[in-house]
Amino acid sequence: TLPNGSKSGILKFENVSTKNIIDMSFTVEKGECVVFLDMNNTVLTDMMKLMQGEIKPLSGDIFLDGCNYTKKSSELKKGVCFIQENPIQSMLFQERSYIDNLCFLVDKKLPHWWLNKNIRESIVQEYEPLVGEDIYTNDISGLTPVSLYNLVYYRVHLYNPKVVLCMQPFSDADMYLRHHLIRLIDELRKKNITVIILAVSISDSLVVADRLMVVEQGMLRNEYHSEKFHYFRASQ
């Protein structure tokens, strides 16, 4: 344990600035679910690009599990996954089978795993109870949105990153699908995967969150723990 009972956090921004982010510092703990609510919709894209390595901070540092993410990002990037907005349109390969889609990220950790029949079979055995018969589907174009969202989230579940960033996971989802997404996010959390939700509106994000960070004009303005979410709701 660290001195004074402080935690080191799995993801840490220290005085990070970009064109749109102003001197942002925060720490997210392992296994936590944190929502970043961007009131002006100015910083979420920069946060995503920083974590994807597309841009570097103008100043400040990002740490993943204690290592400087901005300096050695190619190896560290393996510890981070992303779920884009409307992922069933943007993140799946229509021409590939369900199992190929499910295992898409495994290549990063186990190159040429697909040559190993045993690995493939053990993945099918592990995930069939979770996704059902869909796992044997060769053509995913006929699957329902629920089945396709399973595919997106269980792909991350199988890969088991340290952190997953979800961009507006509830946008365009009806009530039934939102409930399903909440369950899928909970499945990730059961594996102790840290979930960061980037949102411009609250929708159902607070149902799964431990903390809410409110960002305004590029700056972190307020932080609420789950037992204080009602204060945030009252202020809206």
Side-chain angles (χ1 to χ4, degrees):
T1 53
L2 292 152
N4 314 326
S6 66
K7 298 174 180 173
S8 59
I10 191 82
L11 179 66
K12 205 171 190 164
F13 273 44
E14 281 187 1
N15 309 109
V16 170
S17 293
T18 63
K19 203 170 115 210
N20 299 302
I21 295 172
I22 302 164
D23 198 28
M24 193 179 281
S25 297
F26 61 82
T27 302
V28 177
E29 301 301 337
K30 184 164 178 59
E32 203 181 8
C33 176
V34 176
V35 175
F36 283 86
L37 176 65
D38 184 358
M39 306 299 274
N40 318 97
N41 196 6
T42 52
V43 308
L44 299 185
T45 307
D46 278 16
M47 285 179 78
M48 207 63 146
K49 284 182 172 171
L50 284 167
M51 296 307 296
Q52 285 171 323
E54 287 176 35
I55 59 172
K56 288 207 181 300
L58 298 172
S59 58
D61 286 299
I62 299 170
F63 295 91
L64 180 72
D65 209 4
C67 300
N68 193 318
Y69 193 74
T70 26
K71 303 257 192 315
K72 311 188 277 216
S73 60
S74 62
E75 191 49 39
L76 291 173
K77 265 202 216 94
K78 290 182 183 174
V80 182
C81 273
F82 305 91
I83 296 179
Q84 310 285 357
E85 194 172 353
N86 302 322
I88 60 176
Q89 277 88 41
S90 59
M91 291 183 63
L92 297 174
F93 302 98
Q94 294 297 334
E95 69 287 352
R96 292 193 186 181
S97 68
Y98 192 98
I99 187 75
D100 282 349
N101 268 287
L102 182 68
C103 299
F104 173 66
L105 294 169
V106 177
D107 258 2
K108 282 195 201 179
K109 284 186 177 171
L110 281 178
H112 310 305
W113 67 272
W114 35 269
L115 298 173
N116 185 326
K117 204 157 153 264
N118 294 343
I119 294 179
R120 207 180 168 99
E121 277 171 12
S122 73
I123 290 170
V124 170
Q125 275 174 353
E126 186 185 347
Y127 283 88
E128 190 195 6
L130 298 170
V131 303
E133 293 291 309
D134 287 347
I135 202 157
Y136 303 108
T137 306
N138 281 322
D139 176 8
I140 65 166
S141 64
L143 292 176
T144 64
V146 165
S147 291
L148 295 172
Y149 271 106
N150 282 345
L151 184 43
V152 168
Y153 278 80
Y154 281 118
R155 175 197 279 177
V156 173
H157 188 274
L158 169 61
Y159 181 67
N160 200 17
K162 291 174 178 175
V163 176
V164 57
L165 285 92
C166 306
M167 181 67 97
Q168 310 238 59
F170 301 105
S171 68
D172 294 340
D174 61 21
M175 205 175 86
Y176 171 68
L177 195 51
R178 284 178 178 192
H179 283 298
H180 189 65
L181 288 169
I182 287 165
R183 208 175 60 86
L184 290 173
I185 290 169
D186 278 336
E187 289 292 316
L188 297 179
R189 299 194 60 199
K190 279 184 201 152
K191 275 187 98 167
N192 218 10
I193 295 169
T194 304
V195 179
I196 294 176
I197 294 175
L198 304 175
V200 293
S201 70
I202 274 300
S203 56
D204 288 335
S205 306
L206 295 187
V207 178
V208 286
D210 299 304
R211 268 192 303 158
L212 167 67
M213 306 275 207
V214 181
V215 180
E216 234 174 315
Q217 307 296 351
M219 297 166 82
L220 208 45
R221 292 284 185 201
N222 273 310
E223 178 182 339
Y224 299 87
H225 287 262
S226 54
E227 63 276 13
K228 300 272 169 51
F229 285 167
H230 56 280
Y231 290 123
F232 171 75
R233 288 197 180 97
S235 74
Q236 291 307 288

